[in-house]
């Protein structure tokens, strides 16, 4: 175990057997987390970068088995936030000192190229960095968003096990998802991806493949979330993923991709009140405080139990700031671009 960690700290390269060894190790994962923390400090420093998350539509044409926004969840009240309200929220984000906003939604075809490019241009006019997380689109659509000013895109591969992916995402194709990631990379986006940990039927081997895939695809950001069963989905009776395993997958990802951005995810915090703090001390350097208006939050339930559901944007941000201060970390004062992306684009 120590040998593997030393190798990872020095070379940032591990083979599948070594990764499986780390994931399966029954001894305390403290050494793994400490190694990831060390690499995080060395490559991306003490700063935690904040991204204001706006969940602007919960309407989705897809039917992912694990997700509360799936189209067959007829019990869910659906909403879309209009352009002016989105822009007002982004402006408020700027006034609260945030440098990046993330626009996330279900796959909602209402937001076509003209609508999205207007919103993107509006947000960019405030001098904010902008991340989109709106699902699978055509090359032409990604290109139009990029030209309008979008900087980053988050699209998780969810799992690299093609069979498991296609069982859990009916009507979707794993190859198509990968093609989206390639298109985004080609268009010069900072590419964010990631996976779910603990999907029913997922193996340790496949989690190791996920980590190797992130490196292979040269991702600039990786978000790892434990799967949390939602009562209005076909997976309602499945067991939740383990926080410990999700933290391990995240820590190994930091070892192999030392200069990327890694969020302490909301799903981690949902499983334990100190989930994000543990993540920040095991390789993470980003938090995405929710700045969606309180009235909409209860309807954006990818999974149940999100701790920030009743909060206002200002309260969510304050909670996150307090958390970061409590462990002696600092808040990033710049846009917090991926250091890896900056190196590759010769901006540093
Ligand atoms: N529709 C877009 C973005 C919104 S979903 C997309 O799918 O890419 C954002 C992420 O929520 C998904 O990538 C998935 O990993 C996560 N998610 C969905 N349901 C979840 C659940 N039950 N538990 C944990 N994470 C979940
Ligand atoms: Fe839609 Fe994304 Fe949920 Fe799948 S994970 S149902 S694409 S919102």
């Amino acid at each position: 175990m120590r040998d593997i960690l030393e190798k990872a700290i020095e070379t940032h390269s591990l083979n599948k057997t070594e990764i499986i060894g780390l994931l399966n190790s029954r001894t305390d994962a403290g050494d793994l987390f400490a190694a990831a923390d060390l690499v995080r400090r060395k490559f991306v420093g003490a700063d935690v970068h904040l991204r204001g998350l706006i969940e602007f539509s919960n309407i989705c044409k897809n039917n992912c088995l694990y997700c509360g926004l799936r189209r067959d969840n007829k019990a869910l009240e659906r909403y879309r936030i209009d352009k002016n309200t989105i822009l007002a929220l982004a402006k408020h984000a700027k006034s609260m000192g945030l440098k990046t906003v993330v626009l996330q939604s279900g796959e909602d075809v209402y937001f076509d190229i003209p609508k999205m490019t207007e919103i993107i241009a509006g947000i960019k006019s405030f001098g904010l960095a902008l991340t989109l997380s709106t699902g699978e689109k055509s090359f032409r659509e990604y290109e139009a968003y990029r030209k309008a000013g979008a900087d980053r895109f988050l699209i998780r591969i969810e799992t690299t096990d093609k069979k498991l992916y296609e069982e859990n995402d009916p009507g979707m194709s794993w190859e198509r998802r990968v093609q989206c990631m390639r298109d985004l990379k080609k268009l010069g986006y900072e590419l964010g991806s990631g996976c779910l940990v603990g999907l029913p039927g997922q193996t340790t081997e496949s989690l190791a493949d996920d980590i190797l895939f992130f490196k292979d695809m040269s991702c600039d950001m990786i978000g790892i979330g434990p799967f949390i069963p939602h009562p209005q989905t076909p997976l309602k009776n499945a067991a939740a993923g383990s926080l410990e395993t999700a933290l391990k997958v995240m820590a190994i990802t930091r070892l192999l991709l030392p200069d990327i951005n890694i969020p302490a995810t909301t799903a981690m915090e949902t499983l334990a009140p100190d989930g994000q703090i543990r993540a920040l001390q095991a390789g993470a350097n980003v938090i995405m405080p929710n700045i969606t208006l309180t009235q909409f939050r209860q309807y954006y339930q990818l999974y149940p139990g999100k701790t920030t559901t009743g909060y206002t944007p200002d309260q969510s941000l304050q909670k996150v700031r307090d958390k970061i201060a409590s462990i002696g970390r600092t808040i990033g004062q710049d846009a917090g671009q991926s250091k890896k992306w900056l190196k590759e684009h010769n901006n540093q």
Side-chain angles (χ1 to χ4, degrees):
M1 175 97 165
R2 287 212 168 264
D3 290 354
I4 299 178
L5 288 178
E6 265 162 37
K7 177 181 165 192
I9 290 170
E10 262 170 44
T11 66
H12 309 292
S13 159
L14 292 176
N15 63 37
K16 188 169 167 181
T17 314
E18 291 164 333
I19 296 175
I20 292 172
L22 289 178
L23 289 173
N24 275 340
S25 167
R26 297 230 169 258
T27 54
D28 175 30
D31 287 348
L32 167 60
F33 298 155
D37 199 42
L38 178 93
V39 169
R40 186 269 309 154
R41 199 174 323 131
K42 185 165 154 205
F43 283 82
V44 296
D47 278 353
V48 178
H49 300 288
L50 302 183
R51 325 296 196 193
L53 176 66
I54 303 175
E55 299 158 335
F56 70 101
S57 162
N58 71 349
I59 298 173
C60 189
K61 69 178 168 65
N62 293 333
N63 219 11
C64 306
L65 260 47
Y66 42 80
C67 177
L69 306 193
R70 66 198 304 270
R71 68 165 184 265
D72 283 356
N73 181 6
K74 306 285 188 224
L76 180 66
E77 192 170 314
R78 305 281 172 168
Y79 71 86
R80 283 186 184 114
I81 303 184
D82 65 72
K83 183 187 98 181
N84 289 338
T85 310
I86 297 174
L87 293 184
L89 274 174
K91 204 167 187 179
H92 185 60
K94 175 85 181 177
S95 74
M96 291 192 294
L98 291 168
K99 314 291 177 201
T100 298
V101 297
V102 181
L103 287 186
Q104 194 183 73
S105 68
E107 281 200 25
D108 182 355
V109 290
Y110 169 83
F111 289 97
D112 56 9
I113 292 183
K115 291 195 184 73
M116 279 310 288
T117 48
E118 261 188 51
I119 295 170
I120 292 167
I123 291 178
K124 290 305 292 180
S125 75
F126 303 141
L128 288 158
L130 175 62
T131 307
L132 298 175
S133 178
T134 57
E136 298 180 12
K137 308 286 170 196
S138 65
F139 185 88
R140 203 171 68 85
E141 209 154 351
Y142 288 145
E143 186 177 42
Y145 299 167
R146 181 85 181 119
K147 284 203 178 124
D151 304 283
R152 312 175 188 146
F153 205 102
L154 306 181
I155 182 164
R156 287 185 178 171
I157 191 64
E158 316 294 1
T159 170
T160 47
D161 179 334
K162 177 175 150 62
K163 188 165 161 283
L164 190 66
Y165 179 89
E166 291 179 358
E167 277 165 16
N168 275 285
D169 301 77
M172 295 170 81
S173 135
W174 188 82
E175 277 86 8
R176 165 101 191 87
R177 195 105 180 146
V178 177
Q179 188 56 49
C180 286
M181 291 176 63
R182 293 217 167 93
D183 289 349
L184 290 162
K185 195 85 197 162
K186 191 162 165 198
L187 287 162
Y189 282 90
E190 283 177 62
L191 173 63
S193 193
C195 64
L196 285 165
V197 173
L199 280 173
Q202 191 178 34
T203 61
T204 307
E205 285 72 18
S206 117
L207 288 173
D209 283 334
D210 293 354
I211 299 169
L212 290 169
F213 173 84
F214 303 149
K215 192 161 170 92
D216 224 40
M217 293 294 290
S218 192
C219 294
D220 303 293
M221 185 276 207
I222 290 296
I224 314 278
F227 157 69
I228 301 171
H230 187 292
Q232 280 141 7
T233 64
L235 299 186
K236 59 176 179 237
N237 294 321
S242 127
L243 174 61
E244 184 83 358
T245 309
L247 289 170
K248 283 180 167 186
V249 173
M250 187 197 76
I252 301 168
T253 301
R254 169 61 75 200
L255 293 176
L256 297 199
L257 288 148
D259 52 1
I260 65 167
N261 285 327
I262 299 187
T265 59
T266 311
M268 290 175 168
E269 189 80 354
T270 304
L271 288 188
D274 61 348
Q276 283 182 319
I277 288 195
R278 287 174 67 189
L280 287 176
Q281 294 174 319
N285 71 322
V286 169
I287 293 194
M288 295 164 53
N290 192 336
I291 58 162
T292 310
L293 293 170
T294 319
Q295 72 205 79
F296 296 114
R297 292 187 185 202
Q298 59 186 302
Y299 304 115
Y300 200 85
Q301 270 212 14
L302 304 163
Y303 48 83
K306 279 205 227 164
T307 52
T308 58
T309 303
Y311 292 177
T312 64
D314 295 62
Q315 285 169 330
S316 287
L317 184 58
Q318 195 52 47
K319 292 264 170 206
V320 166
R321 288 205 163 112
D322 292 347
K323 229 174 265 177
I324 295 167
S326 77
I327 53 168
R329 295 273 281 279
T330 46
I331 293 177
Q333 295 303 316
D334 58 21
Q337 282 164 292
S338 147
K339 296 232 184 316
K340 173 171 166 298
W341 186 94
L342 284 171
K343 267 180 225 153
E344 283 166 9
H345 291 75
N346 293 322
N347 285 335
Q348 221 183 17

